[in-house]
Amino acid sequence: MQLYNSLSHKKEDFKTNEPGKVNMYTCGPTVYHFAHIGNLRSYIMEDILEKYLRYSGYDVKRVMNITDVGHLSSDADTGEDKMVKGAKRENKTVMDIARFYTDAFFKDCEKLNIKKPDVVEPATNCIEEFIAMVQGLLEKDFAYIAGGNVYFDTSKLDEYYVFNKHDSEELMVGVRDGVEEDNNKRNKNDFVLWFTKSKFEEQALKWDSPWGVGYPGWHIECSAISLKHLGEYLDIHCGGIDNAFPHHTNEIAQSEAYIGHKWCNYWFHVLHLNTNSGKMSKSTGEFLTVSLLEEKGYNPLAYRFFCLQSHYRKSLVFSYENLDNAQGAFNKLLVKIAALKDDESEAIDENAVKELTEKFKAALDNDINTSLGVTVLYDVLKAKTNDKTKLFLLNDFDRVLSLSLLDEAKKLKESKKEEVSAPAADDDFSKYVEEQLALRAEAKKNKNWAEADRIRDELTQKGVKILDTPDGAKWSL
Ligand code: AMP
Ligand code: ZN
């Protein structure tokens, strides 16, 4: 298998530290708000990577942190803790916010068929580990105390900008919300390991430490949690591209300074989901969540399908039109699958299995080329072989793609049956609904999404169930 490595900026043959075993770490969400579908693009693509490694026979251990303290509104250690901001916004405690949005995150993941990592560790569970690591860095003279905070001293490193061949714009997206000068820092790239004095007094969660009451910096969380659960040799570290700098750069700096050798071999970064007006975010434009897509009548798995149709190393533009196209294509695929007959008397065609599995593996072996992987699903449907073999292959590839192909096809079949047996509406009402659906189709054609949504909402209120299918919208009561 070949995997692109952000460290070398090349596709490399994938080799593990221990034969057959993969240690994999993923930066988890900052649980101050719902995840937007951009965040979830990263988790979908990381999920595919994990599942493909398992499909290829590796024993994978995947660890994810939950950032419930220390991630400030700028990734450059300034601004307010995002958790405190979230708590103020909702007039709740930080821990209430953390609990609520952690649950919400995993509910979204479930809807998108994203597997829960083997270990999920909230940062607030690991304060002892953070303190021990900061202590170790101070002892090794990689850290210093200034103005009450503990800082990592980047001037002690041979190389700091480990991902420096990235486009400078890509690197700077990590430093959001502006950067303020911190006069305690000896070098401009130094970063906080432990805060005791920050310019705001309202930090909700604080712990005792050898340097005074305070709280950890964001970067130390991932290093310490990874070392705790995966040891000193990490195979793959994942995250969205905005995390490459400064977050992952700082993780490498402090982890390698602490353990004294190379830490992680492969860095897997997912490019952003953007809107037509730039990077998707929680604070600007429409806050796009899985629930919002559902309210608008989209199947969350159609969003997963949309993500799989493009490569993780290309930025992807979200628009409702693009999602409509993906949902249409996904439905068409399901219609074809629903037409396959599972005939017990048929035998699996081993030659077809071999040929198509090789094709599927070649696609995924090539730096997780999911769009080619999806194409192989159509090759299966077109193959000159029996339906039983086709169903077997679709189910097998779905272990990686996780589109619930067979279940969704079954649901589609059942919804068609329901349509036939649904109660009949009187003629005038039917005429009204048909007219409204025609207006909605026209609005969609003209990209007038607000009007299309308004019509849908009005019909829903009147008890009309709408199902968007490849042959247009169908309705029932
Ligand atoms: P956060 O909750 O802000 O810590 O981010 C969670 C994950 O989403 C991280 O891996 C980010 O790099 C990633 N991420 C943030 N914005 C986007 C985006 N627009 N598209 C894809 N991934 C993103
Ligand atoms: Zn992280």
Side-chain angles (χ1 to χ4, degrees):
M1 170 179 168
Q2 288 229 309
L3 199 58
Y4 181 86
N5 188 351
S6 308
L7 266 185
S8 62
H9 305 276
K10 282 200 294 263
K11 276 195 220 173
E12 292 178 17
D13 285 334
F14 179 65
K15 290 194 197 85
T16 57
N17 282 302
E18 248 186 83
K21 260 200 99 209
V22 178
N23 279 343
M24 183 170 174
Y25 185 85
T26 299
C27 289
T30 311
V31 284
Y32 70 112
H33 217 321
F34 292 108
H36 60 54
I37 56 171
N39 302 126
L40 291 159
R41 178 194 189 197
S42 288
Y43 295 113
I44 288 171
M45 302 319 284
E46 294 164 4
D47 179 67
I48 295 271
L49 171 63
E50 175 189 347
K51 285 177 178 160
Y52 186 61
L53 290 166
R54 290 185 195 274
Y55 182 90
S56 306
Y58 288 104
D59 173 13
V60 182
K61 181 173 177 189
R62 177 151 172 226
V63 176
M64 178 193 274
N65 70 306
I66 298 289
T67 300
D68 52 3
V69 67
H71 191 176
L72 306 192
S73 47
S74 156
D75 290 357
D77 291 342
T78 61
E80 200 170 12
D81 189 317
K82 291 186 180 192
M83 295 302 297
V84 175
K85 224 171 159 175
K88 271 195 209 156
R89 186 187 62 233
E90 298 185 19
N91 217 1
K92 295 197 179 116
T93 68
V94 162
M95 283 330 276
D96 281 344
I97 293 281
R99 224 171 290 122
F100 179 82
Y101 288 113
T102 303
D103 284 354
F105 172 72
F106 286 114
K107 276 185 199 142
D108 285 347
C109 287
E110 227 176 282
K111 288 179 190 164
L112 293 166
N113 282 346
I114 299 170
K115 177 186 167 291
K116 201 169 187 173
D118 304 288
V119 178
V120 175
E121 181 84 280
T124 48
N125 269 1
C126 299
I127 301 299
E128 258 176 56
E129 285 84 354
F130 305 152
I131 291 177
M133 193 163 171
V134 175
Q135 189 102 48
L137 288 167
L138 278 164
E139 279 159 19
K140 290 179 183 205
D141 210 21
F142 276 105
Y144 60 92
I145 300 170
N149 296 330
V150 186
Y151 292 86
F152 186 89
D153 186 348
T154 53
S155 71
K156 299 278 163 73
L157 300 170
D158 296 336
E159 192 194 6
Y160 175 67
Y161 288 107
V162 279
F163 300 112
N164 67 348
K165 280 182 219 133
H166 273 298
D167 181 289
S168 61
E169 231 171 79
E170 274 176 10
L171 285 176
M172 289 317 288
V173 288
V175 189
R176 292 171 277 211
D177 288 5
V179 182
E180 284 168 40
E181 201 67 29
D182 176 349
N183 294 328
N184 295 321
K185 290 185 185 181
R186 289 183 191 161
N187 313 288
K188 91 170 168 27
N189 291 317
D190 291 358
F191 53 93
V192 180
L193 297 166
W194 185 268
F195 290 96
T196 59
K197 288 200 176 61
S198 81
K199 64 182 174 57
F200 51 95
E201 300 293 306
E202 296 174 6
Q203 185 66 15
L205 302 176
K206 297 174 196 175
W207 294 265
D208 209 1
S209 82
W211 320 286
V213 174
Y215 58 97
W218 171 40
H219 316 299
I220 197 81
E221 294 177 9
C222 288
S223 290
I225 291 174
S226 175
L227 290 172
K228 174 176 174 184
H229 293 288
L230 297 165
E232 290 187 8
Y233 295 91
L234 187 59
D235 294 298
I236 307 179
H237 194 308
C238 320
I241 189 67
D242 59 323
N243 280 346
F245 184 85
H247 185 48
H248 292 161
T249 305
N250 292 350
E251 278 188 46
I252 294 175
Q254 66 203 0
S255 297
E256 297 192 353
Y258 183 68
I259 57 184
H261 57 77
K262 183 165 180 181
W263 174 44
C264 176
N265 286 336
Y266 299 88
W267 287 82
F268 180 88
H269 287 122
V270 180
L271 269 285
H272 280 149
L273 182 73
N274 296 320
T275 61
N276 284 324
S277 49
K279 178 183 173 282
M280 183 165 293
S281 85
K282 292 174 194 178
S283 48
T284 49
E286 191 178 23
F287 186 4
L288 285 154
T289 59
V290 173
S291 313
L292 182 72
L293 295 187
E294 281 183 305
E295 277 164 30
K296 287 182 187 283
Y298 293 102
N299 178 349
L301 293 176
Y303 176 65
R304 185 172 174 111
F305 186 77
F306 168 69
C307 292
L308 300 196
Q309 283 177 315
S310 61
H311 195 253
Y312 75 90
R313 274 195 301 114
K314 289 208 176 101
S315 47
L316 178 60
V317 175
F318 175 84
S319 68
Y320 285 109
E321 194 187 1
N322 291 347
L323 187 60
D324 278 338
N325 290 338
Q327 176 144 303
F330 185 51
N331 279 341
K332 269 190 194 153
L333 177 67
L334 296 177
V335 168
K336 287 189 181 133
I337 296 172
L340 298 174
K341 305 230 167 5
D342 191 6
D343 184 347
E344 282 299 313
S345 64
E346 277 175 332
I348 298 275
D349 172 353
E350 297 299 339
N351 286 335
V353 168
K354 188 164 176 286
E355 189 191 320
L356 287 154
T357 305
E358 270 169 17
K359 216 166 173 186
F360 181 72
K361 291 188 75 166
L364 277 288
D365 274 339
N366 183 4
D367 192 26
I368 310 294
N369 192 329
T370 48
S371 66
L372 267 182
V374 167
T375 310
V376 182
L377 298 177
Y378 295 95
D379 293 339
V380 170
L381 287 164
K382 279 187 279 178
K384 290 196 173 59
T385 187
N386 60 42
D387 283 4
K388 194 181 178 80
T389 304
K390 292 182 182 179
L391 286 164
F392 169 82
L393 284 166
L394 293 168
N395 204 31
D396 187 53
F397 300 162
D398 211 27
R399 282 163 53 205
V400 180
L401 304 178
S402 292
L403 293 163
S404 297
L405 292 171
L406 303 196
D407 284 351
E408 289 292 311
K410 200 167 147 206
K411 266 197 226 160
L412 195 81
K413 245 195 225 167
E414 275 158 14
S415 75
K416 289 241 149 112
K417 268 190 223 148
E418 255 175 44
E419 236 175 72
V420 175
S421 61
D426 70 47
D427 284 353
D428 284 350
F429 188 70
S430 296
K431 203 167 151 230
Y432 159 77
V433 176
E434 296 292 346
E435 274 167 10
Q436 292 300 308
L437 287 178
L439 289 173
R440 179 170 167 263
E442 189 62 24
K444 278 181 147 188
K445 214 166 113 199
N446 297 332
K447 300 184 184 150
N448 187 349
W449 310 111
E451 176 63 4
D453 285 350
R454 191 196 60 73
I455 298 173
R456 166 186 280 279
D457 291 346
E458 198 171 297
L459 289 173
T460 309
Q461 264 183 12
K462 294 194 159 94
V464 178
K465 285 187 221 134
I466 303 169
L467 182 72
D468 286 312
T469 77
D471 314 320
K474 303 268 181 271
W475 67 277
S476 62
L477 287 175

